[in-house]
Amino acid sequence: MIEPTESSSVPAVTVWEGIAIAAGSVLLVAMGSAGLVYKFFVNAANPQRATLIAKSLMDYNIPDAEGVFGANLGGAKVAIISSRSFPKDAAVLDGINPAAAKGVELFVARLPLDVETTLAQNATQPPSTSNISPSYDPFSASDFSFSYRSGEEFIVNQERIEEKMFCQQKVPVRIQEGNLTLSSQAPRLPAVKYDASAPVGNSKRQVTITAIGPTAKQDAAIVFNSLNCK
């Protein structure tokens, strides 16, 4: 997984880092064992476990998909699924042409409705949305995705809010289009990001879809339209 380049500024805490920090802190306080924390992250990174958790939350259609991360955190569940072609480590880029990299990554979460996501305070604010439902609440930091956590790597050229069907209801969806830098030696790649949230029973579903490559726009739309909340 690519770590952000060190800089003089302190990077914003990401959704995934926040989850990891919270989970690790709870386990350490409750059990007093670093070994249990290690076991938690080993289990969370199990592809089969991640896939099962994702499928328990939502149906999706991602070609050649594999599980990346999955965890149960009390009343919350989180999972990350991606195309196998979606580059997730700097070492992977050494063996391929970064300009030809492509794929989709899906982050999905089930959260209690009373959970306050302070991480949303770090989210890029959408443009004027006077005609958009006030329930719009992107569960997203400025990062591009789980694999590319430095917001500086993703340059947004266009951002809009569209009303779309999600979890059998119409909700505002934030769509960002731009370019992503995978390597300083590679040209920027087309990149697209979707953020959406909707209440389901006594919880809510959050999704972030990120796609890169020549067909990123079409791929992200196809995956979003395939989502079916459970």
Side-chain angles (χ1 to χ4, degrees):
M1 200 174 293
I2 296 178
E3 294 295 335
T5 303
E6 292 186 1
S7 64
S8 58
S9 61
V10 178
V13 176
T14 71
V15 171
W16 308 280
E17 287 169 338
I19 291 170
I21 291 169
S25 298
V26 169
L27 286 173
L28 280 173
V29 171
M31 307 302 294
S33 172
L36 290 178
V37 176
Y38 172 77
K39 183 177 180 180
F40 167 82
F41 287 112
V42 169
N43 290 336
N46 181 284
Q48 290 75 27
R49 175 183 170 86
T51 299
L52 287 174
I53 291 176
K55 289 185 174 179
S56 73
L57 300 177
M58 192 167 297
D59 290 327
Y60 55 86
N61 182 16
I62 299 177
D64 196 25
E66 64 178 355
V68 178
F69 181 93
N72 293 300
L73 304 171
K77 283 186 175 183
V78 296
I80 293 135
I81 304 293
S82 79
S83 309
R84 294 181 188 276
S85 60
F86 192 95
K88 293 178 276 295
D89 191 289
V92 175
L93 298 176
D94 292 337
I96 66 173
N97 177 9
K102 62 180 181 179
V104 180
E105 186 173 88
L106 168 67
F107 169 85
V108 57
R110 184 192 71 189
L111 300 167
L113 285 173
D114 59 352
V115 169
E116 294 294 331
T117 53
T118 56
L119 293 169
Q121 297 173 1
N122 294 324
T124 302
Q125 295 299 313
S128 177
T129 57
S130 58
N131 62 335
I132 296 298
S133 166
S135 63
Y136 175 72
D137 179 25
F139 189 67
S140 169
S142 59
D143 309 330
F144 178 70
S145 73
F146 180 71
S147 298
Y148 298 95
R149 292 177 291 173
S150 171
E152 295 179 356
E153 294 172 345
F154 181 43
I155 304 301
V156 179
N157 298 326
Q158 183 183 39
E159 180 174 313
R160 64 187 184 276
I161 306 296
E162 292 186 6
E163 293 275 347
K164 291 182 175 291
M165 293 300 296
F166 176 60
C167 294
Q168 293 77 52
Q169 56 196 291
K170 187 169 284 189
V171 301
V173 179
R174 182 175 66 175
I175 302 173
Q176 296 174 307
E177 298 178 13
N179 296 283
L180 181 72
T181 299
L182 297 180
S183 166
S184 59
Q185 288 76 40
R188 290 184 177 272
L189 294 175
V192 176
K193 181 177 181 180
Y194 278 54
D195 287 300
S197 170
V200 178
N202 61 353
S203 64
K204 65 178 177 178
R205 298 293 185 275
Q206 300 274 176
V207 295
T208 294
I209 297 171
T210 50
I212 60 174
T215 59
K217 185 174 180 178
Q218 300 94 307
D219 294 343
I222 290 172
V223 172
F224 183 84
N225 292 333
S226 76
L227 300 179
N228 182 33
C229 299
K230 296 180 178 178

